[in-house]
Amino acid sequence: MFSSKERFAALFLQRLEMTCGKSFKDSTKLDQYKTLGIMVREYISSNWIQTNEKSRSNSGKQTYYLSIEFLLGQLLDQNLINLGVRDVTEAGLKEIGISLQEVLDIETDAGLGNGGLGRLAACFLDSLASLNLPGHGMGIRYKHGLFEQKIVDGHQVELPEQWLKNGNVWEVRNADQSVDVPFWGHVNVSDQNGRLTFRHEHATLITAVPYDIPVIGYDTGTVNTLRLWNAEPYIHHHETDILSYKRETEAVSEFLYPDDTHDEGKILRLKQQYFLVCASVKSIVNSYRKTHKSLYGLHKKVSIHINDTHPALAVPELMRILLDEEKMSWEEAWHITVHTISYTNHTTLSEALEKWPIHLFKPLLPRMYMIIEEINERFCRSVWEQYPGDWKRIENAAITAHGVVKMAHLAIVGSYSVNGVAKIHSDILKEREMKGFHILFPKKFNNKTNGITHRRWLLKANPDLSAMISESIGERWIKQPEALIDLKSFAYDAAFIEQFQLIKEKKKQELADIIFCTSGVVVNPESIFDVQVKRLHAYKRQLLNVLHIMYLYNRLKEDTGFSIHPQTFIFGAKASPSYYYAKKIIKLIHSVADKVNYDPAIRGLIKVVFLENYRVSLAERIFPASDVSEQISTASKEASGTGNMKFMMNGALTIGTHDGANIEILERVGPDCIYTFGLKAEEVLSYYENGGYRSREYYQHDRRIRQVADQLINGFFEGEADEFESIYDSLLPHNDEYFVLKDFSSYLDAQERIQSDYRDRRKWSERSIENIAHSGYFSSDRTIREYAEDIWGIKPME
Ligand SMILES: *Cc1c(COP(=O)(O)O)cnc(C)c1O
């Protein structure tokens, strides 16, 4: 099909007429996109079947990665690249007058995630398939992904996202593998020959229908599966109010919750969690039963990983199957469960730790609750045996206490592995947040520093740079990203540097065009592109960045002798719709932009841009065009970050705190190739524990701080006198929980170092290339290999 451009072109025209029922001349870009997508699916179909058979019959083990989010982005281009048919496709389409790029641009992002956690799951799928590992994703087929963001007068407005509007060429509906998920009702307990049996009666059933998406590995025959569950009415449902039943059912897979690192605590969210878990665990067990008579050896052939606590009900659900359906003893069932499930913790922010009120939980999931109570009782008893009389220890570690179910505690007790996502984060888990559990289960805890797939974030997003890398060090890096280290010798090669700079300039010009088209702001492509793109959150401190811009503005206005290399500050960020403070920061960025961008006294030296609707496809255009990567979270708060790695891989230099994976970037590139500043995690944590920080002192003693803080409320932003009061209050009356003012001065120093270093472009480029050379460690191939070897015990197929 893709053997030559002529053959491809002929087949493409034939398929176009067949699938769209139109002649080529009447076809739209969407028709062409669909045709190409269908051809790719057809092309991989036998490999998909084979991978399925291989992993089923495989005497080895399989992993199922359960995640409430998969932030996939677009799939067509990556699939063409991974199959090695992109060039022939582009050439074939060109023959018949079609631009591949225009066809690719038609695809809407699959935005089934909020940010880092969902994107991590997507990167892991690519690495699993590319490493020939038997690992499959399971998630929810939300009808609407993360909201589309519009900016109106500087304010965020949310619109429902519509990724399925034009259908989805990648999915296959497998209704024959549907499973039913019970909610509500009650549990009937009876004694049958001395064994208690449990029947869930009068439940409301929802049918989970799987939609399977192929996950195509790079240059390999492996095609794994991402299974997304759709909630549909149970056909034999008997209830009088059929319409409201239908509405409530469909609501379960209708919307992705738009919260990032925040616990919503709503009943619909709990329904989504059990829907995902129940459907996934049942389908895993069904597939295992096809080749095994009993479930006694399940943990030897199956591993179930839970991405954060959202799927933590996998623990009681697997127990339920083993106890109620397989009639195992508690001890047998528990042994299998705790040897099947592993768990990744993503945050230590207390507002993100899931806690379900028992009064909501118990009626919705009565059998789950019974099993959790039993797990809790046995766990507490074992702690008591180890530490008799230590009530405090038991109270702190209990799974249910004070009227809530603590999902992280359930996940830790019910799994054999608990990992954090960067060294510092794993250490904080062990030594502070989960210290009690670490003492009880020292061997469960481990670290797996996050990674990103370099095949999307470098090979696909930056084809020019990728080609140049391959010309210099060969193509080995695409399968073995650690080979990027060979670039080190080119970091000081004049011809290489010159070509690298040309590519960066081209990417900056392309982003400047996007900025102009979407926001109307003209930016100077020769300015420093200083970029902060990530979800909007107080701990990520977009505010620190903004206050620095206000300081620069003030300085340029007051001191005509002061000059800088032109700098463009680029933001992209969605705020959770209910997060009032975050939305105010978006408004503030726009108000600062309006001040700065049009003031002639600034001489165009600084520009501020907010890119609307930050998402994967836009991110792919931003990273290659960036000079400076803003990773300025309050130390200890950002578990890892993955945006930092995408920037690094494209040659941006990091300005960052000693937080998350920034620390490991520093360890690799060395202090000359990164701009670190600010409080250390221990200092932040010690302030939280012992007090002693008074933001007002920094306000009083630093004129620069006083000026920018006052400008939030003194009419500096004309007609918006009250708009930013809550931001001002967060900094002063509320004593600046995130240490923005404390870190302000050292952040300015780091920015000044950037200003002075950027003047020596050659040196700057050397540092960029050093960053790329060391970025191989941050490929998710490395991360996934570690999971496969240390946690899951799975091996490459064949
Ligand atoms: C990588 C990525 C993120 C995570 O960014 P962080 O800086 O690590 O918070 C969020 N959203 C999108 C679209 C991404 O691609």
Side-chain angles (χ1 to χ4, degrees), residues 115-116 119 457 533-534 540 614-616 619 631 641-643 646:
R119 185 54 232 173
W457 297 107
V533 287
K534 47 182 74 252
K540 291 179 184 276
Y614 179 57
R615 63 197 183 284
V616 172
Q631 307 300 336
T642 48
K646 301 168 196 166

Side-chain angles (χ1 to χ4, degrees), residues 162-319:
Q162 302 271 13
W163 71 298
L164 294 173
K165 188 178 56 189
N166 298 316
N168 176 5
V169 288
W170 304 114
E171 66 187 13
V172 180
R173 179 181 166 98
N174 281 315
D176 59 316
Q177 294 172 55
S178 298
V179 291
D180 299 321
V181 180
F183 294 100
W184 311 107
H186 68 266
V187 177
N188 184 307
V189 187
S190 61
D191 191 323
Q192 285 187 356
N193 311 324
R195 182 188 166 97
L196 288 183
T197 61
F198 301 86
R199 289 244 314 273
H200 190 169
E201 294 178 340
H202 304 294
T204 304
L205 293 179
I206 290 183
T207 299
V209 181
Y211 282 72
D212 291 342
I213 295 176
V215 181
I216 300 169
Y218 179 86
D219 187 28
T220 164
T222 297
V223 180
N224 286 334
T225 300
L226 169 59
R227 172 160 281 193
L228 299 179
W229 297 101
N230 196 48
E232 300 182 14
Y234 173 66
I235 1 173
H236 305 295
H237 178 79
H238 301 291
E239 224 175 277
T240 40
D241 194 352
I242 201 81
L243 272 181
S244 72
Y245 166 68
K246 186 170 182 288
R247 216 177 312 116
E248 280 167 29
T249 299
E250 286 166 358
V252 171
S253 59
E254 188 144 61
F255 285 98
L256 165 76
Y257 270 81
D259 274 307
D260 194 54
T261 64
H262 184 262
D263 170 25
E264 235 327 281
K266 299 257 168 62
I267 194 108
L268 180 59
R269 171 76 169 191
L270 184 58
K271 269 193 187 175
Q272 289 186 336
Q273 295 185 353
Y274 185 61
F275 174 74
L276 164 66
V277 159
C278 177
S280 301
V281 176
K282 279 186 179 175
S283 102
I284 292 166
V285 168
N286 286 345
S287 143
Y288 179 84
R289 279 189 177 125
K290 284 189 189 145
T291 46
H292 297 83
K293 282 201 269 314
S294 85
L295 298 187
Y296 281 96
L298 183 77
H299 55 294
K300 294 184 182 138
K301 300 290 172 193
V302 167
S303 94
I304 298 177
H305 195 86
I306 57 176
N307 192 26
D308 213 324
T309 56
H310 320 122
L313 294 175
V315 174
E317 178 63 13
L318 184 54
M319 285 298 286

